[in-house]
Amino acid sequence: MLALAIAGVSYRFVENPVRFHPDLLQRPILSIICAGIVTVSLFGAALLSMWFATQLIKAPEMKVVTAAIDDISRLPRERCVTRTQSVEVKTCDFGNVSSATVIVLFGDSHAVHWFNPLQKIAESNGWRLTTVLKSSCHSFDIRPQGHKTADLDSCDQWRTEAFEKISAMHPSVILLGNLTSSLGQKDRAKPWITHSLRELQDGVRGTLLALADMRVVIIRDVPYFQFDIPTCVARSLRHVWYPNGSCEADQSTALNPAVFESEQAGAQGLSNIHFIDLTNRICGRGVCRPVQGNSVIYRDRHHLTGSYADGLMATLNQELAAILNTPVVRPLL
C-alpha cells in the first residue's frame, strides 16, 4: 500500500508534469537529451557506489569479514563433491589410504563442515578418511518439499549408490552430516528447505537401516541464522547504530531441539548408532554467537568457516576416540 501511494504521488507530481510539459512537447530533441543525461547520471552513480563498496571491503576492519566469506574448506570440492544435477558417487581418500581404520564422511555441504578437523585427525591417527558428498543432498533418506522432481530423483539415485559403495568399504565408522537445522526456519532465500519432523525421523531410520551392522555417527547440525552473518557483522563494523549483538540469535530460534530429537528417535532401537553434539561450542547460555574473539565463524547464514572447524578438532577427536575405543592421539597442527 505504501508503494502504491508513492507511485500515485510520483505519477501525479513528477511523471505527468514532465511528460506533458509544453516546452518538452514542442522540443523532442530536448526530451532525448534530458533522458540521456538522467541515464548517464544514474549509471555514473551506480559505478560510484560499486567503487565505494570496493573501498569499504579493503578497509582493515573489514578483512575479518571478507576472510570468513572465502574460508570454506581445504576439501577439493570440484574433484570430491558431486554437483546437484549429477548422480555420480564421487569418493576421495585422505590420510593413510592403506589403514585398516576407515572413516567415511557422508552427506551434503554441512558434512563438508567437518572435513578440516577430520582430515587432521585421520593424518594424526594414521587412519583413512573417505568422503562421499553431494551438494544439496542429505545422506538421510528424505525428499524436502519444493525441490524439482529431477533433483530429488538424482539425490535418491546418488544416495542408493552411495549406500552400496560405502558398504563395500567396510568402514570403521560413518559420520553423517546434513542440513537439518533449517527445518521450521522462515528462510526467504531458500523457502524450499522444508520437511516435517516425521519425515526427518523416517528418513534417518531409512538411512540407518541401509547402513545396518555398521557403526554410524550422526553429527548434530549447526545453528541456522535468519540472516547472512558476514553482512550483519559488516554492518555492525560500519555503523555505530548497528550493534554487534544484533548478529546473535537465541538458541531456541537458531536450533530447534525437536529436530535433533527426531534424529535420535529415528535411531531408537538400533545398535552401533552414536551422536555428536558440538552446539555448546557455538551457543552458550541460550545464545548463539557467530563471532568469537576476532573471528567470524560463519561464512553465510548456516555454513561454518573452515578455520573455525579446525578449532573443533580436539573435541571431535576425543569424541571419535571414545566411539572407536581407541587412545586419544593429539592431532598434528
Side-chain angles (χ1 to χ4, degrees), residues 40-51:
V40 171
S41 298
L42 292 175
F43 183 69
L47 291 178
L48 183 62
S49 297
M50 293 171 63
W51 175 84

Side-chain angles (χ1 to χ4, degrees), residues 9-28 30-35 38:
V9 171
S10 64
Y11 176 79
R12 171 67 177 81
F13 295 103
V14 179
E15 184 178 341
N16 273 350
V18 172
R19 181 163 48 186
F20 298 114
H21 195 282
D23 292 339
L24 294 178
L25 287 174
Q26 296 174 10
R27 305 165 68 182
L30 180 59
S31 297
I32 295 174
I33 292 174
C34 289
V38 171

